[in-house]
Each structure stands twice: as structure tokens, then as C-alpha cells.
Amino acid sequence: MSRFIQIHLLTAYPPANLNRDDQGRPKTAKMGGVDRLRVSSQSLKRHWRTSELFGQAVSGHLGTRTKRLGLGIYDRLTEAGIKDKNALTWAATIAGEFGKNKKADKNDPLNELEIEQLVHIGPDEQAQIDQLVATLIEEQRAPEKGELDLLRETTSAVDIALFGRMLASKPAYNIEAACQVAHAISVHPVVIEDDYFTAVDDLNDGREDAGSSHIGETGFAAGLFYSYLCINREQLIENLNGDAALANRAIAALIETAIKVPPSGKQNSFAHQGYASYVLAEAGNQQPRSLSVSFLKPVEVRGLIDKDYLTQAVDAIRQQYQGFDQVYGPCADRRYEICVGERLGAMGELLDFVGGAE
Amino acid sequence: MYLSRVTLKPDIGQNSQLGRLLQSNTYGTHQLLWDLFDQEKRDFLYREEVAKEQLKQHAGAKGEPVYYVLSVTRPRESTPLFTVESKEYRPQFQAGQRLSFCLTANPVVTRDKKRCDLVMDEQLVFFRQACKEIGLSCEGSKGDLKRRLMENQRASAVTDYLCSYLSQSRCFADAVAGHSVDVLLGLATQEAVSRRLIQWLAHNPSRDGLFSIAEQEVEDDDGDREITVPVFQWQRYRIHPLPQKDASARKQQARFLSVDISGELIVKDPEGFLTMINNGIGPAKAFGCGLMLIRPR
């Protein structure tokens, strides 16, 4: 069985999909001495995790991120006729198992039901909570100590199994991420200087749509991005309590999402614009390595070179992995390539390759 | 009005020792800008930037200073030192127009009839407020207050206060939880200064109603929520020594502080806004402060 699955992607994202910083400017990073556009790995993971495509592919196996666990429990208890004071105490006790309760507030007694930090819980843990609440209602009593071990060391939620979870108050129930995601970096340099001088002409004209002519100059340009994911299949199966079939489903869902869903907020309608143009999937037990070094020297189109960014970037990736193989011996047991420009490969075959990478 | 982009000639900026000398003596370079004009009285605003363009077609190689100059009269087209590109500047604004801006300013506040630096002042104000909320004594200097916040028996109360202060900012509580008190205090102070600077910039009595700071939604990638924050940032808080008129006088060297502000704004009163741009913002205009550059976003 191949322990690691590595995915290398080249995706041209349109400007609308860029990951902005809190100033509204695209995120950037310096690499090889020049500024590149960057999409943070947190942003990529969030958009993959919350995309419709991923949700449908692994429906029933997604976790919930919440601070308001206690409120739901409280509501169920009071609806079932439990006295308000008891409902409050019991719900706060259960919520407290998942994180530190917020401070009691005289004006808002329900405040105590919330916890300070988000907790990411799986469907099995949620079922456990529901079961306990039902018991409490039936037996009209407070939860006992032995009943409060509600957290699990493994999970049935693929998003938790893939991206891990951190519990500040209960580190024993942390789950180590089985999937590493690199920040996506443009293969070419970008100009991030705000050009206030050129903009004077537009300001003088007083045009309503002024600014559109600067799209290329202010860093809002579209970019061709290199992204990299590394999935540790063994870790994933372990996180999923040995369920290899679910692990395979999760891997296939994640990779399809990574290929098709760009970081565009909730705008799923942009998805079709963000398909990867090149995919290299690798399976093997070798120590993983990213191929970002292919773009240490930025891809630049200069003079009369008869190649665009994409063609050059694909060449660079191929050169790099072949170079690694030659020097270090094969860095993967098997590979599968998709290159849209060359009409090479097919999505179905790629998913078979990664899903059944045994 | 005229807006000009002024750069050192390549022969000087890149190929001569004079270029290096000028780069290490920015105040001297500032004075040289006077050579662009004939008049005795200063009727221009300027702003120094360091060129960071990566493409060759832009003026100014990487790392060299670039000056933007807004003047009443058209500057000379060329001097032995500088290359000057000028454009007539007559921007037409509409109410509701959204613009990106950047500004180097010297924000001050008057306390006890003395001008104090606003950033310094806000640090003191914020520390006092925090001490008060947590139930500590509010007496003493800024250093005393900070020490009191860092070293007391109620560390968790301090952490809670700072986290809840930060939870409504672009530093999300989820993201900052787990940091040490000094990191939290640093972030919270930065946020407090940011709020105070916005107040100074957009709601100072002389400017109130001309424009407002734009807002945008920021995604909290860990918390799956969105929060509205002002598009506003401050950085490069710097001390500039001024040349001493009389070196023998043993006075403390004169200096001023500047801060770089950038963000997005929404024009409310087009006419008043234009007057403000032309006149400049805040003190220290002779020293490169007060020129607000704008562009459509």
C-alpha cells in the first residue's frame, strides 16, 4: 500500500477568486527574490471543506465547528420540560467537557453555555451527546461523571480526519492532520505597487468606472498558481478508526475538490473557472517532497519566447521531478498526470488512481 | 495643481556614489526638492517612497527613493539630479466614490497646551483603560501601567479582557487565544491605535464629514464566520530627527514622529475633500507629511 499521496496542481485562478488580506489587497509572498500572489492554506482548506462538491461527496461524514454546543442542549432540555435552572447547569456541564465555558453574565444567563473556543466535533460525538441528553430527560437527572467522556480519539468526520483538530483544554483528544496543504503560490512575479501616479488620469476624468484600466498593474491580476497537497493515508485510516473505504472516499473527494473548487468564498458558481490545468498525482512510501522549487526562478514571458506561462510551468515541474528521481532514485512508486493543454489524462482515471492506491 | 513623480537620474541613483550618499541622508534629499521650484515659500506637499516595482518599465529601480510632489506651480522638468514626470492634477470626485489612499502623517493631540504624539498618547490611554476594566490602579507612567498589566495576580482576567477586545477586530479571538499576555497586549494596543487614528483622520473637527473609512468583510478561516472591519492599516511608526540649528546649544535634538497610513475611504463631500487633499493633512508638511495619494480602487 502506498503511504503517501502527493498532488501537485497548476491552476489559473481568475482575479475574483484571490485570497485578500484584511486590507483588501491580494496576499503575497516573496519567493526567489520576487513577490508572488499567495492563497493561504487556511483559506484553501476552508473553501474546500465548505464547498458543495466536498459536502456531497462525503455527506454524513462531516464535522461541526461550534462554540454554541451548550445552547442546543439547553434548548432540548427545556423543550422536554426540564426546569430552567437544571437545564442551564446540565447543559453548561456537558459543554464544559468540550472547552472552557464562557464567563457567567448576569444579564445573559445563557452566556455560560457557550465555550471560549471553537470545537470541531464529529457526527459520532454529536450522536453520543444526543444519546446522553435523551437519557437525562428520561431519567430526570443530572449527568454523572462517567457519562461525560464524550470526546473520541478517532472520528467518523472526514474533515477532522484530514485536517486535524486542536483542543486546547483536552489535548489528549487532538487529532493529527492526515493532509498537509501548502500555500498556493503564483509561478510568476506580480507587481504589488499601488500605482497612484497612473491613476491621476482616471481621477481627472471623473469616470465612474475609473480604476478598471489598472487591473493589471495593481496586483489584482489573475495568477497561475502552484498548489501542493500531501495525504498520509495511514494516518488518515488511523484517524478514521480503521475505515479504509471511508478514507479512500475522503481522498477522492478532497482531490476532486482541490482540482475543481477555487478559493472564492461562497461563490460556488465560480467553480468551473478554477479547474486545474495540470495535475500530477504521486503515490509511494518515499519521504514526500514538494515541487515548489521548480518555480524558485519565476516563470516570465520575455521577448519572443513562443511559450506561455502554463506551458513553461508544466515543463518546469516535469524537469524538477525527473531531476529528483535521477539524483535520489524514484521519489514515487507510481504517477498519474493530467495536462489539459496536451489532452492528457482523465478525471475518472485519476480518481481511481488515488482512491485505490493500494 | 500638479502631481509629479520625482526620481533620481539613473546615472546618479544607480551608478554613482552620490546616489548612495543621498539614500543614507533622506533629509538632505528632501531639501533638494526645493530646487524644483523658484518660489521662496513652500507651496508643495511631498511624500517619499521606496520604489519596489519589479517591472522595468516603471521609473525608479528597486530600493531607490521616489518622491511624489503635489504643487501649485508646475515643477521644473529636469534638474541635474532628478527626473521629473508631472501631470496636471484636477481630480473630479463624486459623493459615494470609493478610493484607495496612502498617507504619511504626523498625528498629534493637544494635552495641557502641549502637542503630544497621538500614537504614544493612545498607548497610555489604552493601558489606563485596561487597568481600570480589570480593577488595577490607573496611576503612574506608561511603563508602570504596562508592568502592572503583565505582572499581576489576575493574569486570566487580563487575557480574557484582551481576547474579548480583539474578538471584534481583524485579530480574531480564536486566532489569538493561546498567545502570551505580552503578545496579546501588543496586538490590542495596535488595534487601539488603529481605532484612534481612524478617529483622528476621518473625524477630526477640521475634516469631519468630508469622507469616511470604508469597511469590508473579513473571513475568519478557522472560525467560519465573517466580520466587518475598517479597511485601514498603519505601519512604519518612525522618529525623524531634525537637523540642529545650533549644534552648540545643548538642547534635546528636535524630532517628530510619522506614521504610514493606508486603506480605503468613501468620499462624502467632494468639494471639501478636494480642498483637504490640496492643503494636506496634519502637521509637519515641510517634512514629507500630509500628502494623501488616492486612486480609484
Side-chain angles (χ1 to χ4, degrees):
Chain A
M1 188 179 83
S2 305
R3 184 165 170 210
F4 295 110
I5 297 169
Q6 301 180 76
I7 306 290
H8 312 266
L9 302 165
L10 287 174
T11 315
Y13 291 139
N17 296 330
L18 288 179
N19 186 207
R20 308 263 171 102
D21 68 10
D22 51 22
Q23 296 304 303
R25 283 183 299 245
K27 284 188 179 159
T28 56
K30 233 184 185 61
M31 180 170 144
V34 298
D35 289 310
R36 317 292 183 100
L37 290 172
R38 173 172 71 93
V39 181
S40 74
S41 60
Q42 298 94 312
S43 175
L44 291 170
K45 283 189 275 192
R46 178 176 127 99
H47 290 120
W48 295 340
R49 198 161 47 69
T50 55
S51 71
E52 247 177 76
L53 185 62
F54 190 69
Q56 280 169 5
V58 293
S59 67
H61 295 280
L62 280 176
T64 319
R65 295 156 84 88
T66 181
K67 282 181 180 181
R68 304 162 66 88
L69 203 61
L71 288 171
I73 299 169
Y74 169 82
D75 286 346
R76 280 191 53 198
L77 289 171
T78 45
E79 273 164 33
I82 302 288
K83 266 196 294 182
D84 193 64
K85 202 181 149 210
N86 283 342
L88 208 57
T89 324
W90 301 354
T93 310
I94 298 174
E97 282 299 301
F98 293 87
K100 193 173 154 236
N101 293 80
K102 281 197 177 172
K103 262 188 301 190
D105 182 343
K106 270 180 219 146
N107 303 322
D108 180 13
L110 298 186
N111 200 42
E112 210 185 338
L113 296 177
E114 291 193 31
I115 49 178
E116 291 280 2
Q117 282 169 47
L118 278 173
V119 62
H120 200 166
I121 57 166
D124 45 350
E125 287 160 332
Q126 183 64 53
Q128 199 79 22
I129 296 170
D130 293 344
Q131 177 62 44
L132 175 61
V133 172
T135 312
L136 298 184
I137 291 169
E138 201 184 302
E139 300 179 7
Q140 297 278 315
R141 61 168 178 86
E144 284 159 17
K145 202 152 198 287
E147 295 172 316
L148 289 170
D149 292 334
L150 296 160
L151 282 160
R152 294 283 165 269
E153 279 160 5
T154 61
T155 181
S156 63
V158 297
D159 48 348
I160 300 178
L162 281 168
F163 301 127
R165 82 169 163 199
M166 283 263 293
L167 291 168
S169 54
K170 296 262 169 75
Y173 297 100
N174 285 354
I175 291 178
E176 197 181 336
C179 173
Q180 299 174 345
V181 180
H183 295 233
I185 294 277
S186 73
V187 302
H188 49 79
V190 288
V191 186
I192 49 163
E193 175 105 335
D194 293 340
D195 192 350
Y196 289 93
F197 192 65
T198 314
V200 169
D201 302 328
D202 282 342
L203 285 170
N204 286 350
D205 290 349
R207 271 188 280 135
E208 272 289 351
D209 63 341
S212 51
S213 58
H214 301 296
I215 282 174
E217 288 175 84
T218 52
F220 287 83
L224 177 65
F225 289 83
Y226 169 73
S227 359
Y228 170 71
L229 291 81
C230 176
I231 303 167
N232 182 335
R233 214 161 160 276
E234 275 176 17
Q235 176 80 48
L236 183 63
I237 294 174
E238 191 184 307
N239 288 354
L240 290 170
N241 200 17
D243 191 341
L246 183 56
N248 280 345
R249 222 172 109 194
I251 293 171
L254 175 68
I255 291 171
E256 184 171 4
T257 310
I259 290 172
K260 291 184 177 173
V261 175
S264 66
K266 296 181 197 76
Q267 295 158 300
N268 287 331
S269 55
F270 275 105
H272 64 281
Q273 297 182 14
Y275 280 22
S277 298
Y278 174 83
V279 185
L280 171 66
E282 302 181 308
N285 292 317
Q286 296 87 342
Q287 176 68 24
R289 85 275 172 267
S290 148
L291 295 174
S292 66
V293 64
S294 322
F295 307 109
L296 202 55
K297 180 173 174 288
V299 172
E300 283 181 275
V301 177
R302 283 210 187 96
L304 290 170
I305 297 174
D306 191 23
K307 280 181 179 174
D308 62 8
Y309 280 165
L310 184 60
T311 319
Q312 287 194 57
V314 171
D315 286 351
I317 282 200
R318 285 177 173 158
Q319 288 285 337
Q320 193 62 45
Y321 81 69
Q322 286 160 8
F324 273 144
D325 278 1
Q326 206 173 326
V327 174
Y328 294 109
C331 296
D333 294 339
R334 294 175 305 120
R335 290 196 171 92
Y336 188 86
E337 234 177 346
I338 282 183
C339 184
V340 177
E342 297 167 6
R343 308 286 184 273
L344 173 71
M347 189 70 184
E349 285 175 24
L350 173 74
L351 292 181
D352 288 345
F353 173 87
V354 293
E358 315 246 346
Chain B
M1 304 290 284
Y2 295 89
L3 186 70
S4 312
R5 178 161 63 187
V6 181
T7 45
L8 287 171
K9 289 211 164 133
D11 274 353
I12 289 168
Q14 291 160 27
N15 305 332
S16 103
Q17 295 300 320
L18 180 59
R20 290 204 193 154
L21 204 63
L22 289 174
Q23 275 179 47
S24 58
N25 183 1
T26 44
Y27 182 73
T29 323
H30 292 171
Q31 288 198 302
L32 294 173
L33 288 175
W34 283 86
D35 285 354
L36 300 173
F37 303 96
D38 289 324
Q39 67 276 17
E40 302 248 306
K41 191 175 163 295
R42 180 187 60 81
D43 60 358
F44 64 90
L45 296 164
Y46 71 92
R47 171 185 160 78
E48 184 190 56
E49 281 183 15
V50 177
K52 53 189 173 200
E53 290 102 327
Q54 295 179 355
L55 297 188
K56 298 289 184 293
Q57 64 262 36
H58 285 275
K62 216 168 158 183
E64 283 183 52
V66 182
Y67 298 91
Y68 292 96
V69 181
L70 182 67
S71 55
V72 178
T73 50
R74 187 187 271 273
R76 284 185 228 288
E77 276 176 22
S78 171
T79 75
L81 283 181
F82 294 121
T83 305
V84 182
E85 303 158 86
S86 290
K87 282 179 178 177
E88 224 184 300
Y89 193 68
R90 40 173 176 77
Q92 318 267 315
F93 300 117
Q94 296 109 23
Q97 191 174 4
R98 193 164 162 143
L99 302 167
S100 293
F101 72 89
C102 65
L103 166 72
T104 302
N106 169 227
V108 291
V109 60
T110 308
R111 288 228 184 243
D112 305 329
K113 295 183 186 167
K114 266 177 73 183
R115 270 185 172 184
C116 317
D117 181 71
L118 183 127
V119 177
M120 297 273 194
D121 185 69
E122 178 57 31
Q123 292 170 350
L124 182 65
V125 170
F126 181 73
F127 288 161
R128 272 200 194 128
Q129 176 68 22
C131 281
K132 193 177 155 211
E133 293 280 339
I134 296 157
L136 302 168
S137 156
C138 309
E139 299 301 315
S141 70
K142 197 159 76 182
D144 295 339
L145 292 165
K146 186 172 179 185
R147 223 166 295 126
R148 204 170 296 142
L149 286 167
M150 305 271 289
E151 301 158 15
N152 67 71
Q153 303 303 314
R154 313 193 52 210
S156 71
V158 179
T159 308
D160 283 354
Y161 175 74
L162 295 174
C163 278
S164 91
Y165 185 80
L166 286 168
S167 68
Q168 289 313 306
S169 74
R170 54 174 62 90
C171 306
F172 304 104
D174 303 323
V176 295
H179 282 295
S180 59
V181 175
D182 62 324
V183 172
L184 290 175
L185 194 59
L187 287 170
T189 316
Q190 204 172 340
E191 173 66 17
V193 170
S194 183
R195 291 181 193 184
R196 181 80 177 275
L197 282 171
I198 290 176
Q199 190 63 26
W200 174 84
L201 182 63
H203 305 291
N204 188 291
S206 62
R207 292 183 285 275
D208 198 19
L210 302 184
F211 66 96
S212 60
I213 300 296
E215 295 188 321
Q216 76 159 19
E217 287 198 330
V218 188
E219 288 174 0
D220 175 359
D221 288 322
D222 291 317
D224 285 352
R225 63 174 185 151
E226 285 176 354
I227 189 164
T228 307
V229 298
V231 188
F232 185 87
Q233 177 173 281
W234 66 280
Q235 55 191 10
R236 294 235 293 167
Y237 181 52
R238 285 174 293 169
I239 296 176
H240 307 260
L242 295 178
Q244 252 158 326
K245 278 183 190 141
D246 181 2
S248 62
R250 289 201 172 177
K251 277 202 217 154
Q252 196 193 350
Q253 190 173 18
R255 53 175 215 171
F256 75 98
L257 291 126
S258 79
V259 57
D260 284 6
I261 300 171
S262 58
E264 285 177 17
L265 58 80
I266 294 166
V267 179
K268 282 165 140 180
D269 169 1
E271 220 168 289
F273 184 71
L274 180 61
T275 311
M276 179 199 78
I277 295 271
N278 289 343
N279 293 339
I281 294 170
K285 294 195 187 82
F287 303 107
C289 290
L291 171 56
M292 182 188 259
L293 292 181
I294 41 173
R295 64 175 169 80
R297 77 182 289 262

